[in-house]
Amino acid sequence: MEFRRTAVIKLDTPEGANPLLRETVEQFKHCANTASEWCWHGDDGYHVISKAKAEQALYDQLRDETDLTANLVQKGIRRAVEAVKSGVERLKRGENTSRPYFSADSTVYDKRSATFHRDHVSLSTVDGRIECDYILPEDSEKPPTKYISDEDFEFRMAHLQHRDGDWYLHASMRKVEADNESSESESEHRTVLGVDLGVNNLAVASTGRFWSADEFNHWRREYEKRRGSLQQCGSRHAHENIECVGRKETGRFEIYLHSVANELIEEAVEHDCLHIVFEDLTHIRENISKATWQHIWAFRQLYEYVKYKAAEYGVEVVQVDPRNTSKRCSTCGFTHGDNRSGEAFCCQKCGYENHADYNASKNIGLQYLRRRQNANDGGAPVDVCLNRGTLNVNGEYSPPTVGG
């Protein structure tokens, strides 16, 4: 039996390494976005989903334009092709989508561009290699130490990411066990990240992290004003400008949504979640009465971005029936319309109080747990990841690991 884990490792970078890593990331993003643009507007109007064709067309150009090694250039091209391929699949299903754009400070490494050790890593950069030590929790049973110290877990590849001034290695690891040795591992708890979508907060995770919609709503109103002003003119020039405003609006929002998607995935990986759970978006307009067409578009785009990006980390993205998730108490299960008042949630039965969107995000995660329980698939137990500890389908709370 095969087990996959993603170890999020904070790096201790040597002096002078930061500018090299930042430039490496920028040039990698240049490769990915150049390839994405070429593939999305491919020859004869077709989308290119062949890695070989994209590499043949772009490899020499990108080698000349960057200081990256051959392997990193290839990884940048291939990352774009995989994203375009996912977009083409959505188009085939009649779903709206757009050209993938890579804005996150991230680079993909495999065993040719990085050498993984149990206490440090050697990374290829635009100017040779640098070695970075790992900063790990002392608790040997706490991830990522738990996986790195286990010699049976093999490093496969990694994403180097920069956030909040620090560098992190999101290392994909694999362990293969014989069936007669896997009973203990099968009983390991897996965790899910519930995500609630809304007008005031674009996304709220069950870990308690909020992504405010203030910036999105501000620019939505600004673009609406510009369109309204131009429509009053009624001239041909004004009509052309309306189309230009629409393109700018879409571009700005796509960059923003890519950023939120990246952070949602980071949140899931950091908390060792194997699933990200969204509400089913089929009837989202009815479920969120105040949502404009821009909000509906944003919710669907965010879900699609998270879905195709999360696959790189071995994280599955699923949807659940959202009925009553905003009215149900995530602590006792009591469901009533009076439980929620705006952004405030107060259970009329047990008195539990919290932000309504946070309560809903926990319920979305719990909805997935109930679905698994009803399916009786015999899989490992699953918990909802909270800001402190986990919650199972029976409402039983487990505190975080000691020393975490």
Side-chain angles (χ1 to χ4, degrees), residues 9 75 158 256 359:
I9 310 166
K75 283 293 182 187
Y256 172 68
N359 177 75

Side-chain angles (χ1 to χ4, degrees), residues 232-271:
Q232 289 182 351
C233 295
S235 66
R236 178 178 178 180
H237 178 68
H239 178 73
E240 292 174 350
N241 280 340
I242 290 174
E243 293 181 352
C244 181
V245 168
R247 288 192 297 271
K248 288 182 178 179
E249 179 181 28
T250 299
R252 177 184 289 274
F253 289 162
E254 284 179 346
I255 293 173
Y256 172 68
L257 293 171
H258 274 292
S259 176
V260 175
N262 292 330
E263 291 177 4
L264 266 168
I265 294 167
E266 288 177 3
E267 191 76 2
V269 171
E270 188 169 337
H271 290 85

Side-chain angles (χ1 to χ4, degrees), residues 284-303:
I284 191 71
R285 188 178 295 278
E286 291 81 3
N287 296 333
I288 306 179
S289 58
K290 294 183 179 180
T292 64
W293 67 265
Q294 292 103 325
H295 287 107
I296 304 302
W297 171 85
F299 298 153
R300 290 177 174 147
Q301 286 292 103
L302 180 61
Y303 169 77

Side-chain angles (χ1 to χ4, degrees), residues 50-293:
S50 166
K51 295 178 183 177
K53 186 174 182 179
E55 286 186 22
Q56 184 179 10
L58 299 171
Y59 175 79
D60 290 338
Q61 170 193 336
L62 293 174
R63 281 285 277 164
D64 290 339
E65 292 177 354
T66 68
D67 299 310
L68 298 177
T69 62
N71 178 259
L72 287 178
V73 170
Q74 291 171 335
K75 283 293 182 187
I77 295 173
R78 292 174 185 179
R79 187 179 200 184
V81 173
E82 286 299 320
V84 170
K85 191 181 296 185
S86 296
V88 169
E89 290 299 319
R90 293 194 291 275
L91 290 174
K92 289 180 179 178
R93 297 193 297 267
E95 301 173 2
N96 292 326
T97 189
S98 58
R99 175 174 72 87
Y101 179 79
F102 301 91
S103 60
D105 290 336
S106 174
T107 308
V108 180
Y109 284 92
D110 63 13
K111 292 182 179 180
R112 288 183 292 171
S113 51
T115 304
F116 303 102
H117 301 275
R118 295 294 163 176
D119 59 351
H120 72 282
V121 65
S122 172
L123 299 171
S124 174
T125 72
V126 292
D127 187 17
R129 286 194 170 228
I130 60 170
E131 292 191 351
C132 304
D133 292 332
Y134 300 153
I135 300 176
L136 299 172
E138 293 182 2
D139 187 348
S140 61
E141 292 301 312
K142 181 179 176 63
T145 308
K146 177 180 180 180
Y147 309 132
I148 295 172
S149 60
D150 186 344
E151 294 287 343
D152 291 331
F153 269 106
E154 172 194 7
F155 285 91
R156 305 289 290 174
M157 60 171 293
H159 290 71
L160 177 71
Q161 296 194 2
H162 185 259
R163 67 176 189 271
D164 300 328
D166 293 310
W167 292 95
Y168 293 84
L169 201 66
H170 292 239
S172 298
M173 308 187 74
R174 184 183 69 171
K175 177 166 71 170
V176 179
E177 291 183 347
D179 290 341
N180 59 356
E181 297 175 352
S182 61
S183 58
E184 182 178 347
S185 296
E186 285 181 354
S187 64
E188 287 184 0
H189 275 70
R190 304 187 312 174
T191 54
V192 303
L193 185 76
V195 180
D196 180 61
L197 304 173
V199 173
N200 295 326
N201 293 296
L202 188 66
V204 178
S206 57
T207 53
R209 185 169 179 181
F210 285 66
W211 285 267
S212 172
D214 288 350
E215 180 181 351
F216 180 90
N217 289 330
H218 166 74
W219 284 109
R220 178 183 60 80
R221 291 189 292 267
E222 287 297 312
Y223 284 120
E224 286 286 3
K225 290 178 184 176
R226 294 179 192 179
R227 272 193 293 269
S229 177
L230 290 169
Q231 285 172 345
Q232 289 182 351
C233 295
S235 66
R236 178 178 178 180
H237 178 68
H239 178 73
E240 292 174 350
N241 280 340
I242 290 174
E243 293 181 352
C244 181
V245 168
R247 288 192 297 271
K248 288 182 178 179
E249 179 181 28
T250 299
R252 177 184 289 274
F253 289 162
E254 284 179 346
I255 293 173
Y256 172 68
L257 293 171
H258 274 292
S259 176
V260 175
N262 292 330
E263 291 177 4
L264 266 168
I265 294 167
E266 288 177 3
E267 191 76 2
V269 171
E270 188 169 337
H271 290 85
D272 203 24
C273 298
L274 295 183
H275 294 83
I276 300 176
V277 187
F278 285 85
E279 57 188 288
D280 190 326
L281 302 178
T282 304
H283 304 292
I284 191 71
R285 188 178 295 278
E286 291 81 3
N287 296 333
I288 306 179
S289 58
K290 294 183 179 180
T292 64
W293 67 265

